Amino acid sequence: MDALADLDLRIAGCRACPRLVDWREEVARTRRAAFADQTYWGRPVPGFGPPDARLLIVGLAPAAHGGNRTGRMFTGDRSGDVLYQALYDVGLASQPTSVAVGDGLELYGVRVTAPVHCAPPANKPTPGERETCRPWLVRELRLLRPTLRAVVALGAFGWQATLPALAEAGWGVPRPRPAFGHGVRVGLDGLGGHGGLDGHGGHGGHGGLGRLELFGCFHVSQRNTFTGKLTPAMLTEVLSEAAEAAGLK
Ligand code: SF4
């Protein structure tokens, strides 16, 4: 088993946040009528995508009846429909839909994760829960760092959670921290490691840190997509630019 698969397994067994453990398990017990015949995952949802991803997408937290039901990030809800359609449109996914584990979906060079791995009530984790979960994101970033060249943070929560995690994982984050905005792009230098910087934003050496491009994008929540705050064109534009920065296009 590779180190990232091992990390994913350990995340799935985490019970560090009592409020979220109660909520995710309560939702899994009571279920939504439309899914009453299904067995909910009801556990932390690990990241999804290959261990040598060059691009990482960081959301907020799994949805109660989406990831918390299916056990895969952004899978089985409307937010995921929008995200995976866009990833497919820019050539980073094998299919435009993400319905359930085992549906054949493959991601190409991109991984999808969240700074909070358990579904929170009202989609709102507390700052304390975000802090408690951050070490998982730091570990994921460290494991990805030999290949990782771009990150897309979805929404202000994802942005605010990602910056300190990137700093802890070894990238140089400017002070004061850059503010979130849709379409914001910030270049972060890799610090330490062996041969991390090659001056072209390209490959680092073995285990070294390359330069990383961080992008802000409005979250793919229903609130944003139904109101047109985030259109499919806006999303594919950011993903396209990030894929290019990551060397995927
Ligand atoms: S939110 Fe993160 S730290 Fe808290 S229980 Fe879930 S996986 Fe563990």
Side-chain angles (χ1 to χ4, degrees):
M1 184 188 296
D2 65 57
L4 198 56
D6 181 59
L7 179 75
D8 291 346
L9 262 184
R10 289 195 294 134
I11 289 172
C14 182
R15 302 182 66 83
C17 305
R19 187 182 79 115
L20 299 187
V21 171
D22 283 355
W23 174 252
R24 75 190 195 208
E25 293 179 357
E26 168 72 13
V27 169
R29 262 193 309 275
T30 52
R31 292 171 283 188
R32 178 177 278 170
F35 308 123
D37 59 340
Q38 297 185 16
T39 302
Y40 276 48
W41 173 251
R43 296 164 64 189
V45 182
F48 171 55
D52 57 351
R54 300 181 66 85
L55 170 61
L56 182 67
I57 297 172
V58 183
L60 196 169
H65 302 280
N68 189 56
R69 173 172 60 90
T70 61
R72 197 169 71 189
M73 279 291 166
F74 284 104
T75 296
D77 62 20
R78 298 299 291 268
S79 304
D81 292 347
V82 173
L83 178 63
Y84 288 111
Q85 176 72 57
L87 286 170
Y88 177 76
D89 289 344
V90 296
L92 299 178
S94 62
Q95 59 190 45
T97 56
S98 179
V99 179
V101 171
D103 63 3
L105 175 63
E106 261 185 85
L107 299 183
Y108 305 135
V110 57
R111 190 170 158 89
V112 182
T113 195
V116 171
H117 285 279
C118 293
N123 290 323
K124 283 204 177 92
T126 65
E129 287 158 353
R130 187 176 66 192
E131 289 305 300
T132 305
C133 208
R134 190 169 68 206
W136 291 127
L137 180 57
V138 173
R139 280 173 215 165
E140 189 170 13
L141 287 165
R142 284 192 179 133
L143 288 172
L144 290 172
R145 71 186 187 183
T147 53
L148 191 66
R149 294 296 174 270
V151 172
V152 175
L154 297 176
F157 187 97
W159 179 268
Q160 279 151 19
T162 300
L163 284 173
L166 284 168
E168 235 177 282
W171 279 276
V173 175
R175 289 256 174 200
R177 287 188 181 143
F180 171 75
H182 181 83
V184 167
R185 175 178 179 160
V186 182
L188 307 177
D189 287 331
L191 305 173
H194 305 289
L197 289 173
D198 62 7
H200 304 286
H203 300 270
H206 298 291
L209 280 169
R211 188 176 163 83
L212 185 141
E213 297 293 321
L214 172 65
F215 295 83
C217 180
F218 288 144
H219 193 279
V220 290
S221 66
Q222 287 191 45
R223 186 185 301 168
N224 286 346
T225 56
F226 281 12
T227 57
K229 183 176 178 184
L230 178 69
T231 64
M234 289 165 70
L235 178 59
T236 51
E237 197 181 332
V238 174
L239 291 177
S240 256
E241 205 187 324
E244 205 173 316
L248 291 168
K249 293 183 85 172

